[in-house]
Amino acid sequence: MKKLTRTASGLNGSIDIPGDKSISHRSVMFGSLAKGKTTVENFLPGEDCLSTISCFRMLGVEIEQKESSVTIHGNGLGSLKEPTDVLDVGNSGTTARLMMGILSGLPIHTVLIGDASIAKRPMKRVTGPLRDMGASIQGNQDGNFTPISIQGGNLKGMNYVSPVASAQVKSAILLAGLQATGRTMVEEPFKSRDHTERMLKAFGVELEVDGCRVALEGKQELKSDLHIVVPGDISSAAFFLVAGAIVPRSKITLKRVGLNPTRTGILDVMKSMGASLTYSEVTEDGPEPYANITVETSALTGVEISGDIIPRLIDEIPVIALMATQASGTTVIKDAEELKVKETNRIDTVVNELKKLGADITATEDGMIIKGGAKLTGAVLDSYGDHRIGMMGAIASLLAEGETVLENEEAINVSYPSFFAHLNKLQR
C-alpha cells in the first residue's frame, strides 16, 4: 500500500526511461536462439524480462545479467536442452506466448506455468495455430490456459490469417515457422508492433514484409555477435508524457524514448488532443529509432480513438483514459476489445478506478466514453496486480485533491522498477 498526494509544484526535469520491455524480451530470446555472443545495453531488469532470462537458463543457455547489461552466449536452436523442471513465465504474457512458438519447434518436452494472472489469460489464439503446424500441446480447457504442456518438433509451415492484430500471436507463429519445413505466412487485420520482424532481420533472417503480411522460409539459422541498444519503452514513457501534459506547471524531458512507428499511437493521440510535444537528438541508427521527448502542460480536447491506431497504443489506453478526464469535451475509445485479455480486463479496471476518483467514464463493449473536465478527488485505488493500472492510479494522484492510497503497487515492478523514484525526482 502506497500513500500519494497531489503535487504542489508541477513536474519538472528529465528522466531516463527504462529499456523497452518488448525489445528486452526479444533480445534475450533471439540471442539464445542464435550462434554467437549477443550483448544488450539498457535491458529492462523488470520481473517480466527476468522471467525470460530464467526460462532460457533452464533450457541450457549461458546468460550473464547485471542490472541493465546482459550478455547471451548462444549456440543455436539445436543446442537448447529439455529442462529438468517447469518453465515459470511469472506474470509475462510475452514470455508465455513467444516461448510457445519456440518450444513447438524443438524435439523436447516442456511445461509452461505462470502466476495467477497468467492462468486467466487465454492462450488458444497461439496454441491453436501451433497445433495446426504439428505441435502436440495440452493444457487447461483444451490448451486455452496454463499450465501448458508442449511436445515439439516436426512442424510444417502454414498460411495463417489472424482474427486479431497481436504481436504476440504473430511472433509465436513466426518463431515456430523459423523451425518448420516450408514457408510460413501471417496476415493480420491491422499491422501490430513489428519488433520481432526488425530483430529477426538484425539476426540475419530473411523475411518478406508486405503491409499486414509477414512471411519467412523455415530452417533459417540466426547469426549473432550483435550489440543491441534497447531504447526507452514508450509504453512506460506514456505515463510521464501524459503527466507532463495534464499536471499544471509542468515541463519534463524523457530521454531515449523508442519511436518505432508501430508503437507511437500514443504520440499521435496526444498531438490530436493538442499536447505540446517536441523532439531532440533523434537517432535512427540500428533497427529501432529513438529520441528525447519534451512535454509541457497543455490545453487538451477530446477525440475519437478507433480503428487501425488501436494496436499501436493498446497498452497506453489506461493512461489515455486518464488524460481524457482532463480534456475539454468527450473522448470515445472504440475497437479495443483486446483490453479484455490483458493482465486484467482493462476496460473494467480503468473505468472502476477512474470512477473512484470522480471521473465521468462509461464502459462500452469495445472501449469507453470519457467526459472531460473532471475534478479528481483522492480515493483508495487498486492495481489488481496490473502494472499499467497501478501507474495510471499513481499519475492520477498528482491531480487528485486529498490523499490517494494505491494498493498492490508492487505490480509496477513488472515493467518499471524505478517508477516511483522517477516520480519523486520530477517533483523536487
Side-chain angles (χ1 to χ4, degrees):
M1 182 176 71
K2 195 167 188 68
K3 295 181 179 180
L4 303 163
T5 56
R6 181 174 182 168
T7 182
S9 58
L11 303 176
N12 291 276
S14 65
I15 53 175
D16 290 296
I17 295 298
D20 186 286
K21 185 155 72 83
S22 296
I23 300 170
S24 294
H25 278 302
R26 287 162 174 78
S27 66
V28 171
M29 291 180 179
F30 293 11
S32 297
L33 305 181
K35 285 188 176 180
K37 183 172 77 171
T38 303
T39 56
V40 186
E41 179 184 337
N42 200 37
F43 174 83
L44 174 67
E47 293 173 6
D48 275 12
C49 297
L50 296 179
S51 292
T52 293
I53 287 179
S54 174
C55 287
F56 278 97
R57 281 175 172 163
M58 290 188 67
L59 291 166
V61 181
E62 182 187 350
I63 303 174
E64 304 163 40
Q65 184 255 328
K66 185 177 181 181
E67 297 177 348
S68 60
S69 296
V70 177
T71 302
I72 306 113
H73 302 274
N75 291 305
L77 269 163
S79 70
L80 298 181
K81 301 174 182 177
E82 187 165 296
T84 57
D85 203 347
V86 297
L87 300 175
D88 189 346
V89 304
N91 186 247
S92 178
T94 300
T95 307
R97 294 187 175 116
L98 271 62
M99 288 294 296
M100 289 179 197
I102 293 167
L103 297 171
S104 290
L106 298 174
I108 60 175
H109 175 252
T110 52
V111 176
L112 289 172
I113 64 168
D115 67 7
S117 172
I118 283 292
K120 297 175 183 176
R121 297 182 69 176
M123 298 294 168
K124 208 162 190 176
R125 56 176 57 187
V126 173
T127 61
L130 292 177
R131 282 171 169 170
D132 291 342
M133 295 177 77
S136 175
I137 301 176
Q138 297 179 351
N140 282 349
Q141 296 188 28
D142 193 29
N144 196 29
F145 298 100
T146 58
I148 286 179
S149 167
I150 302 171
Q151 180 64 56
N154 299 318
L155 301 184
K156 294 182 179 179
M158 70 179 299
N159 293 334
Y160 183 67
V161 179
S162 177
V164 295
S166 167
Q168 292 180 0
V169 173
K170 174 178 63 178
S171 299
I173 296 169
L174 291 175
L175 287 166
L178 198 63
Q179 305 169 77
T181 301
R183 183 174 183 269
T184 296
M185 185 276 291
V186 181
E187 181 176 354
E188 302 179 288
F190 304 112
K191 187 176 178 67
S192 65
R193 58 183 65 176
D194 66 353
H195 300 304
T196 291
E197 296 96 303
R198 288 169 179 258
M199 195 164 286
L200 282 172
K201 288 180 181 178
F203 277 89
V205 174
E206 293 185 4
L207 292 173
E208 301 170 29
V209 180
D210 181 12
C212 297
R213 295 182 183 180
V214 185
L216 54 75
E217 293 291 335
K219 306 301 182 182
Q220 295 190 57
E221 188 176 276
L222 281 73
K223 298 175 184 177
S224 194
D225 294 320
L226 286 181
H227 178 70
I228 298 171
V229 178
V230 181
D233 195 319
I234 194 167
S235 295
S236 296
F239 294 89
F240 287 110
L241 288 169
V242 168
I246 64 176
V247 175
R249 301 177 298 282
S250 295
K251 184 176 182 179
I252 58 178
T253 298
L254 311 179
K255 296 183 178 178
R256 294 205 311 183
V257 178
L259 294 180
N260 182 305
T262 63
R263 296 281 300 281
T264 51
I266 175 68
L267 300 177
D268 294 342
V269 166
M270 291 187 72
K271 289 175 188 173
S272 70
M273 294 179 76
S276 173
L277 300 172
T278 56
Y279 303 85
S280 62
E281 299 185 33
V282 179
T283 302
E284 297 187 357
D285 295 339
E288 299 281 353
Y290 56 89
N292 297 341
I293 306 177
T294 299
V295 58
E296 54 188 306
T297 308
S298 310
L300 303 173
T301 304
V303 294
E304 179 175 310
I305 306 166
S306 61
D308 59 3
I309 197 172
I310 294 293
R312 296 175 54 226
L313 50 67
I314 193 70
D315 284 337
E316 293 75 65
I317 286 179
V319 79
I320 289 172
L322 170 61
M323 179 168 59
T325 70
Q326 303 305 300
S328 62
T330 299
T331 295
V332 179
I333 300 173
K334 298 180 179 179
D335 305 320
E337 299 95 334
E338 190 72 8
L339 289 171
K340 295 179 179 179
V341 294
K342 292 291 185 177
E343 283 84 339
T344 57
N345 179 330
R346 285 186 181 156
I347 292 178
D348 290 346
T349 52
V350 167
V351 170
N352 289 344
E353 298 311 288
L354 290 180
K355 274 187 173 179
K356 290 178 184 178
L357 295 164
D360 187 342
I361 180 169
T362 304
T364 63
E365 187 62 28
D366 64 348
M368 55 198 80
I369 301 169
I370 308 113
K371 293 184 179 178
K375 295 196 179 299
L376 305 183
T377 303
V380 178
L381 305 179
D382 195 339
S383 77
Y384 300 94
D386 186 333
H387 54 134
R388 304 205 192 278
I389 300 300
M391 286 187 281
M392 179 196 74
I395 297 301
S397 76
L398 300 173
L399 294 167
E401 289 285 354
E403 184 179 77
T404 298
V405 177
L406 178 60
E407 296 182 335
N408 297 308
E409 79 282 357
E410 65 278 359
I412 293 170
N413 292 331
V414 162
S415 63
Y416 203 154
S418 56
F419 175 79
F420 286 110
H422 283 175
L423 190 60
N424 291 335
K425 178 183 177 183
L426 294 175
Q427 294 181 76
R428 290 174 187 165

